[in-house]
Amino acid sequence: MSIQTPEEIRADVAATPSAPAAPAASAHAPAHAAAAAAPAAPTADRVGHVEQHGTEHVPASERHGRPSSLFWVWMSANVGYLYFVVGGVLMLLGLPLWEALAITVVGNLWWALVGWLAVSGPVSGSPSVSIMRAMFGIRGNKVFGAGLGVLIGLFYEIINVAFATLGAIALLAHFGIGLPAGGEWIVLAVIGVLSFVIGVYGHATILALAPWFSAALAVVFVVLAVFVFGAADWTYEVEPLPVADHWALVMLGFAIVASSPLSWGIGADYARYLPADVSKKAVAWYTALGGFVPAVLIGALGVVAGTAIDMTDPELTIGEIVPAWFTPLFLGMIVLSSITNNVLVAYSTGFYAQALAERISRAATTIVTGIVATAVAGWVLFLSPSFLDALSASLELAVTVFGPLVSIYAIDIVLRRNRYDGAALDDTRRGGPFWYRGGVFLPGVVAMVTAITIAVLSANTTLYVGPISNALGGADLSALVGPVLGAGIYALLWLTTDPYRDPAKRPGAASGAPEASVAAAPAAIIETDAAASARTNGDHA
């Protein structure tokens, strides 16, 4: 692989377009027919070079790849230490072993929803944050799509940088390498650079490295599993609790586990380069399994480890059940897995940030958000009282926002029959296809505000207990009511809002214009066709 020099990277970043107006393309045009006139290899998405595309849709001539590649992308990002910690948190809550294992499986079933979101990528050629303009409007998306996306992305970037820094410091100490005063900040800075550089390069480089990262991390976790299962206490018991208190812990554990898959509302980002006519089932399955399999297996490993060691600080206590030679491998796994998870997080956070600042390239926004996340991670690690307590409380509350956002996205795909015009989504002008009224699509905004409010009132966390949860004996229903209410309210308002109450204007009433004819039309005709396609697909208010 040809890797660019720093000077070449800066040149590519400077040349990266922020959101050019690409020729309108129909999601229904045969991708292989369009590819016949395409260049032999896409020039905007090459391994070892900074990706040139940002939030704008990828034209059919540059589509390539197979759905199976998505499995390795999601696998590499989720063969991670965070799931090991989450499994341990379930045991720290005081849950019985077999219930904690069951919650690990059930909570991660939300990965099916992440796979469903990914099917919107090939048809539109657009990243998720651009597709969300259909749900919230151009201006509404600045808050509920891009705005929340940046916060969610920064949240997980901070977690990953913090875990990797702790692992690196422990690894140095294991080899007897002492740090001078302030040396931990140097380690933090190095981890920050390593965490975000691959995300800057972008899609092709991520796909090329993903299988190698997955394999290396999987080997370490398999060896770890041998030691954990050998030391496990399969007769582990906890003090019985009253029924109401017990179920409150079960629902709290479910909310913590569910917060991970529900935070990945970005499936289209990695599927948008695939040809429009690929199997949507394959896209959904490879995406979902790439996240579900490692999340369940590693989460279960953390649960079982919790029967043998104190999971409050597993970087230190893991030495009680593994031989000395494995400890540096375990610490190295923490560093590498946190960095690989940050690759996907940083890449998509760059899209969200670019949607807020359209004149800045995706590569540049990835760098800026990375610097912010690294700085905040330093504060969380070295200046705040307890990193693990802050992590648990954050995960408990985060699902109240993640759930409604992902469910609204998912039901919009159903309502529109997965018909998204990438060129129309790029049109952010006043009066464009997704301007709606004042730049806001009320069904999406109302559904988000209502669902988040009810979810927060239904939450039971270590920092806050909502009145609904309190009335139900402490049960935390936020991971259920948030997504269900978000999708339900959105669907109801969508179907009763102009123009959707007219069946002739709903998705499927007419097909979009063929790409060949649109691409050959003058600019004025392209605009007209794009708007007409959006209207027939139920996207114009």
Side-chain angles (χ1 to χ4, degrees):
M1 158 173 102
S2 172
I3 300 296
Q4 293 171 292
T5 65
E7 290 76 15
E8 291 174 321
I9 292 176
R10 285 193 290 270
D12 272 357
V13 170
T16 302
S18 58
S26 169
H28 312 292
H32 298 316
T43 58
D45 185 40
R46 292 181 294 164
V47 178
H49 293 259
V50 175
E51 180 188 351
Q52 298 299 298
H53 284 300
T55 55
E56 78 280 2
H57 83 289
V58 178
S61 62
E62 296 189 32
R63 306 290 191 89
H64 59 94
R66 298 179 178 179
S68 57
S69 65
L70 296 173
F71 177 81
W72 298 109
V73 169
W74 289 96
M75 184 81 159
S76 67
N78 289 285
V79 182
Y81 178 63
L82 176 60
Y83 294 112
F84 188 73
V85 172
V86 168
V89 168
L90 296 182
M91 302 305 286
L92 293 174
L93 290 177
L95 289 167
L97 171 63
W98 299 107
E99 281 190 7
L101 290 172
I103 290 169
T104 299
V105 174
V106 175
N108 279 301
L109 289 176
W110 283 115
W111 278 105
L113 197 62
V114 180
W116 175 244
L117 300 186
V119 304
S120 62
V123 299
S124 65
S126 302
S128 292
V129 69
S130 297
I131 297 171
M132 288 179 186
R133 290 168 181 157
M135 299 149 221
F136 303 113
I138 302 301
R139 285 178 171 171
N141 189 54
K142 297 278 188 182
V143 176
F144 296 99
L148 284 179
V150 169
L151 294 179
I152 292 170
L154 287 173
F155 172 71
Y156 277 97
E157 286 181 2
I158 292 165
I159 290 175
N160 286 321
V161 170
F163 276 145
T165 301
L166 289 174
I169 291 174
L171 186 60
L172 292 173
H174 178 82
F175 287 112
I177 300 175
L179 293 174
E184 66 274 11
W185 290 94
I186 297 176
V187 175
L188 173 73
V190 172
I191 291 296
V193 172
L194 295 176
S195 292
F196 301 106
V197 65
I198 298 175
V200 172
Y201 277 103
H203 178 267
T205 304
I206 292 173
L207 261 64
L209 295 177
W212 300 100
F213 287 147
S214 300
L217 292 169
V219 168
V220 178
F221 272 110
V222 168
V223 177
L224 175 62
V226 173
F227 298 127
V228 168
F229 280 94
D233 178 7
W234 298 105
T235 62
Y236 179 85
E237 294 184 0
V238 297
E239 198 70 29
L241 292 172
V243 174
D245 293 342
H246 173 75
W247 278 104
L249 282 181
V250 169
M251 296 308 299
L252 175 58
F254 175 77
I256 292 174
V257 173
S259 66
S260 291
L262 286 176
S263 68
W264 290 104
I266 53 177
D269 296 6
Y270 312 98
R272 75 193 201 284
Y273 273 97
L274 295 174
D277 61 354
V278 295
S279 167
K280 303 308 181 291
K281 288 184 180 179
V283 170
W285 274 106
Y286 280 120
T287 298
L289 289 176
F292 177 81
V293 171
V296 168
L297 294 181
I298 297 172
L301 195 61
V303 169
V304 175
T307 68
I309 61 174
D310 180 6
M311 290 294 286
T312 302
D313 194 359
E315 294 98 332
L316 298 178
T317 56
I318 196 69
E320 299 173 13
I321 60 174
V322 302
W325 63 264
F326 184 76
T327 300
L329 293 179
F330 177 78
L331 296 174
M333 174 273 297
I334 293 176
V335 176
L336 181 59
S337 66
S338 300
I339 289 174
T340 56
N341 186 273
N342 242 5
V343 169
L344 262 65
V345 176
Y347 181 63
S348 292
T349 305
F351 283 128
Y352 284 122
Q354 189 190 19
L356 290 176
E358 296 178 3
R359 296 182 181 275
I360 304 176
S361 71
R362 177 207 59 83
T365 56
T366 301
I367 293 172
V368 171
T369 53
I371 292 173
V372 172
T374 303
V376 176
W379 178 83
V380 170
L381 280 177
F382 308 131
L383 302 176
S384 65
S386 174
F387 172 61
L388 191 61
D389 288 346
L391 171 63
S392 296
S394 299
L395 290 175
E396 292 162 12
L397 277 174
V399 73
T400 62
V401 176
F402 302 161
L405 181 63
V406 171
S407 68
I408 289 172
Y409 189 168
I411 199 65
D412 191 76
I413 295 175
V414 175
L415 293 169
R416 298 180 196 271
R417 301 185 187 178
N418 196 26
R419 298 189 177 190
Y420 298 99
D421 187 322
L425 288 164
D426 289 343
D427 186 356
T428 59
R429 299 169 305 167
R430 181 184 296 271
F434 298 99
W435 186 256
Y436 298 112
R437 293 186 178 180
V440 174
F441 188 43
L442 282 178
V445 172
V446 171
M448 274 294 290
V449 172
T450 305
I452 290 175
T453 300
I454 300 300
V456 169
L457 296 177
S458 303
N460 181 354
T461 75
T462 53
L463 298 178
Y464 160 83
V465 179
I468 295 178
S469 174
N470 193 49
L472 295 174
D476 185 335
L477 301 179
S478 58
L480 292 175
V481 299
V484 171
L485 278 179
I489 294 172
Y490 181 76
L492 177 64
L493 295 177
W494 194 93
L495 292 169
T496 56
T497 302
D498 283 333
Y500 310 112
R501 71 179 75 187
D502 182 354
K505 296 179 180 178
R506 292 180 186 174
S511 60
E515 179 175 311
S517 63
V518 174
I525 302 299
I526 291 174
E527 269 190 19
T528 303
D529 283 352
S533 174
R535 283 194 297 271
T536 55
N537 287 334
D539 294 333
H540 190 61

